[in-house]
Amino acid sequence: MITIIDYGTGNVSALGNILKNLKIEFQISSDTNSILNADKYILPGVGSFDNAMQSLYNSNMINVLQREVIENKKHILGICIGMQILSNQSEEGSQKGLGWIPGYVKKFDKKKLISLKLPLPHMGWNSLTVRFDSHPLLKDINFEEGFYFLHNYFFCPEYLESSIAISNYGINFTCAVSNNNIHGVQFHPEKSHQNGIQLLKNFAFL
């Protein structure tokens, strides 16, 4: 059972539709009991870092998630802001992140992007370069086709081995992270057609 965590931010219904079509058992919930009963979690997120963290605190789910993910080692997939809040902190705000994957979140250099005639935010399809060909989260992905992105900030993991894929937008940046049972992607699987479907399928069978 996968619980898609509904804490007021993120496109939970689109993710649910993909899992439904894949015939993968899931629930969308903001109830702590559903966290306890789940085997895996998806943590979506849109908007700002501070807003996502505050919404998660307000949901009263954070302590249960901490226990199930950190102590009981259940798999979790953070998406977009849901990935960024896995870090320690962000330039975007003052709230502390979950700190589950050590690192910080940094804003793209707008002046550099302007010099390269690249707009901010980074929006649209972009390819990936994988660092570990055998990582099961990225099995059977078309890396050249890539995924759909929409973001101004990117994750800088403290430890290079936490970065499992990079993309390029003026600079190379980490777009997928993994540390044991904790995973995150900057892109939106729910907007990424077959690649997104495959990634969610991969996560379900980790």
Side-chain angles (χ1 to χ4, degrees):
M1 167 72 78
I2 295 176
T3 290
I4 302 172
I5 300 167
D6 184 5
Y7 62 113
T9 177
N11 195 354
V12 295
S13 59
L15 292 165
N17 286 338
I18 293 174
L19 296 180
K20 181 179 180 180
N21 290 336
L22 288 170
K23 294 181 171 54
I24 293 168
E25 188 179 10
F26 77 97
Q27 57 187 343
I28 298 171
S29 182
S30 58
D31 179 69
T32 54
N33 288 330
S34 68
I35 293 176
L36 293 171
N37 295 330
D39 302 306
K40 295 184 176 72
Y41 311 104
I42 295 177
L43 182 66
V46 295
S48 72
F49 187 97
D50 278 9
N51 180 66
M53 281 305 303
Q54 192 59 53
S55 296
L56 193 56
Y57 278 115
N58 292 343
S59 73
N60 297 316
M61 291 186 287
I62 195 163
N63 290 333
V64 179
L65 269 176
Q66 176 82 17
R67 183 173 67 250
E68 295 303 301
V69 172
I70 301 303
E71 296 180 18
N72 294 333
K73 304 297 183 184
K74 293 182 179 179
H75 285 274
I76 188 167
L77 175 66
I79 295 173
C80 195
I81 297 295
M83 168 187 170
Q84 293 182 8
I85 65 175
L86 298 175
S87 71
N88 298 97
Q89 59 186 13
S90 173
E91 289 183 350
E92 189 177 14
S94 58
Q95 290 267 18
K96 289 184 178 180
L98 294 168
W100 293 349
I101 296 184
Y104 65 96
V105 176
K106 183 177 180 180
K107 189 173 185 178
F108 283 109
D109 185 335
K110 188 173 181 180
K111 289 183 179 179
K112 182 173 183 178
L113 291 183
I114 289 173
S115 71
L116 296 171
K117 298 182 179 180
L118 295 172
L120 196 64
H122 172 212
M123 180 171 64
W125 288 81
N126 206 340
S127 60
L128 274 66
T129 300
V130 296
R131 297 193 63 250
F132 305 105
D133 291 340
S134 61
H135 197 284
L137 188 66
L138 301 175
K139 180 184 176 182
D140 297 328
I141 297 294
N142 183 333
F143 302 117
E144 185 175 348
E145 180 178 324
F147 292 86
Y148 185 88
F149 290 81
L150 177 57
H151 63 120
N152 292 305
Y153 295 79
F154 58 95
F155 196 127
C156 301
E158 183 175 341
Y159 303 108
L160 186 60
E161 57 266 29
S162 297
S163 175
I164 61 171
I166 61 173
S167 192
N168 183 278
Y169 195 68
I171 61 168
N172 288 331
F173 68 93
T174 292
C175 62
V177 293
S178 183
N179 183 12
N180 297 317
N181 58 308
I182 303 168
H183 320 279
V185 294
Q186 181 60 63
F187 46 78
H188 288 271
E190 75 278 11
K191 297 181 179 180
S192 299
H193 307 322
Q194 186 56 44
N195 269 351
I197 293 169
Q198 183 63 47
L199 185 133
L200 291 174
K201 182 179 178 180
N202 291 343
F203 175 69
F205 290 99
L206 288 178

